[in-house]
Structure formats: C-alpha cells, structure tokens
Amino acid sequence: MDTASLETNTDRRQLRTLERPKKLKILVVDDEPDNLDLLYRTFRRDFNVLKADSGMNALQILADEGEVAVIISDQRMPEMKGTEFLSKTVPQFPDTVRIILTGFTDIEDLVEAINAGQVYKYITKPWDPGELKAVVQRAAETYDLLKQRTEELRCANAQMALLAVLVEVTQAANSLEETLIPIATAFSHSFGADNCILQLLEGNTLIATQGSYGYNSNLENWLAQDPLVSEAIATGQVQVSLNVLKDQKLAGVAHYQQSGVQAHLVVPISYRNKVMGVLSLQWKQPHTLRDDELKLIHLSAQLLAIALTSSCDRETKI
C-alpha cells in the first residue's frame, strides 16, 4: 500500500477542519455588577463568556463547565482576593491563561502571583477597553498555542508507543490472537479513537479472528455489514468518513445510528497485494486527520502487515 492509496476515494476536504471552530470559553469574575456586565458585553461577540460575582462562585462554575481559555478576575473582592482565587485554579487548569484587574495599591500581591506563574498579565483600573481586548486576544492565542503543542506532544508519545507495540508483538507473541488485542489498543490510543477493531480475512471474507478495544466494554462488531469495510476489502484502499451524519453514502446505514459512531476510518492490511485483514478506527464525534497522522497510518499498516505475516508463519511452522 503506497501513500497515494491512503488518499484514494478520500475527500481531502474531510481531512481538514469539518466545522468552524467553536468560540473559546472565558470566565470573567467581579463582585461589582456594572463591571461584570461591562466585561460580558466587551467579549461576548468573540468568546463564549461565563461570569461570576465572586471567587467561590467562579470555582463552582469551573467545576461545572471545565477548563476555560482565559480567566479575567478583579483583585479586590470581599470574600476572596483575585490572586487567591486564581491560585486555586492552577492545579486543575494549568493551561488556562489568567488576567487580573487591579488598582495600583495591590502591586505586592500581584508581584507574588506573577512570580508564582499564576497571572499572565495585570490591567490597572480604570481599564481601556481596546487595551483589554488586545490583551485577552493575545492570551487566547497563547492558550491555543499551548494546547496545540500539548496535543502534538501527546500524539508523538502515542505514536512512539504504537510503533513500539508493533515491533514488540512481532518479536514476542506466541500466537496470532495474542498480537491483535494489544495492537488494537495501541492504535486506539494513538489516534484518540473510541473504538478499534482489527479483524482478519480468509479470501475476501472476514473471519472470527479479531482483536478489539472499546471505550466501553460493550463493543459491537458490525464490520461485515459495513459499506466502507466492503469497499476497503474490494479495492485494497483506505476508506474514510470523518463526518458520518453529513455523508450521504452512509445515511441509511443503521449501525452508525445505533452505535453512535460519527467518524470511521477503515485501513486494509495488505502484504504483497493480498488483503490480510482490516483495521477499523471509530470515533463518537466528527473527526479530523492531520497529514502526519496519515503518514503514521501508512507506516503502521506496513509494519502491521509484516507483524501478522510473521505470526502466521510461526504458527504454520508449529
């Protein structure tokens, strides 16, 4: 299988962002209603704005809503200072960018908070709306970049783990079945898939020999009825639908609706032009694939074919 075959029958537009990105969430915190309303109105067009009138209420919002990109907090609040509130958010949300609104009299607290890495920027009152918007925009870009690099590092580590598993099972497994479950698990982790099934073929027919990994234990195997799998076996080419709900070819396929799978990638595992099996990666949300992920799929499919061939040869000799 060459690199070109990964792209055959695949709409390249599917490999890019499928929908416009959602607005980043930010949290504004101030005990003065007028200021809180002003902050909300300043940012509501560009961000999904959450608001709280105290540090305690803000902590509860974060517990309910999860991570936000940016927190803008007033310093002088009656129950809890802004710096104290922000320090409490660091352990659970280290990537969130924190901005504090303050008067000149609170510099000591700010210096301590900035030195501790809890505050990205402080804005003195009364603030200039244009300056504040520019600072928050830069903070959001910083958050985006940090999340991107964190995800790239996670992917790189997962990809190394995948290749290590493929090499290890090729050398160590005593039977073909022993190789399939760890390989399916490694593929699922590497590409963030909710489900992964690696199933073998005899001729052009799927057989019972398979390994699978699912986010929950009740993973149903409907590959024998799946049109993408049939096409992958018939053509020896990767088949993909990265947004099933918008894919007219799959609109009437019941098992997608029943399983909740919204993105599906099927990779034929081929050795010397013979399809030995299929690898099915499934996601419960529309998904995207980067070029580096496609290249890893190409390399991993080749290694997987060699691993399966090696296992089959050992069993034949035994």
Side-chain angles (χ1 to χ4, degrees), residues 161-173 314:
L162 170 60
L163 296 179
V165 167
L166 290 175
V167 172
E168 181 180 349
V169 298
T170 302
Q171 297 174 340
R314 281 199 300 270

Side-chain angles (χ1 to χ4, degrees), residues 48-102:
N48 177 9
V49 184
L50 310 174
K51 56 182 182 177
D53 59 6
S54 70
M56 291 302 296
N57 288 341
L59 290 173
Q60 185 58 54
I61 287 174
L62 290 172
D64 295 338
E65 295 284 340
E67 184 174 275
V68 298
V70 181
I71 299 175
I72 308 167
S73 175
D74 185 31
Q75 168 65 357
R76 290 210 168 186
M77 295 185 290
E79 294 179 359
M80 184 187 300
K81 287 183 178 181
T83 48
E84 182 185 356
F85 153 63
L86 292 177
S87 69
K88 293 179 181 296
T89 68
V90 173
Q92 189 173 0
F93 306 111
D95 295 339
T96 295
V97 182
R98 299 161 182 83
I99 297 170
I100 199 128
L101 305 174
T102 181

Side-chain angles (χ1 to χ4, degrees), residues 221 257 317:
N221 185 341
Q257 299 174 8
K317 290 177 183 178

Side-chain angles (χ1 to χ4, degrees), residues 10 16 71 92 94 97 102 122 147 154 160 215 222 224 237 243 247 250-251 287 296 312:
T10 300
R16 307 300 175 195
I71 299 175
Q92 189 173 0
V97 182
T102 181
Y122 72 89
K147 298 304 287 186
R154 184 201 68 78
M160 288 298 294
Y215 182 73
W222 31 254
Q237 296 166 347
N243 193 340
D247 192 333
L250 303 178
H287 193 64
L296 180 66
C312 289

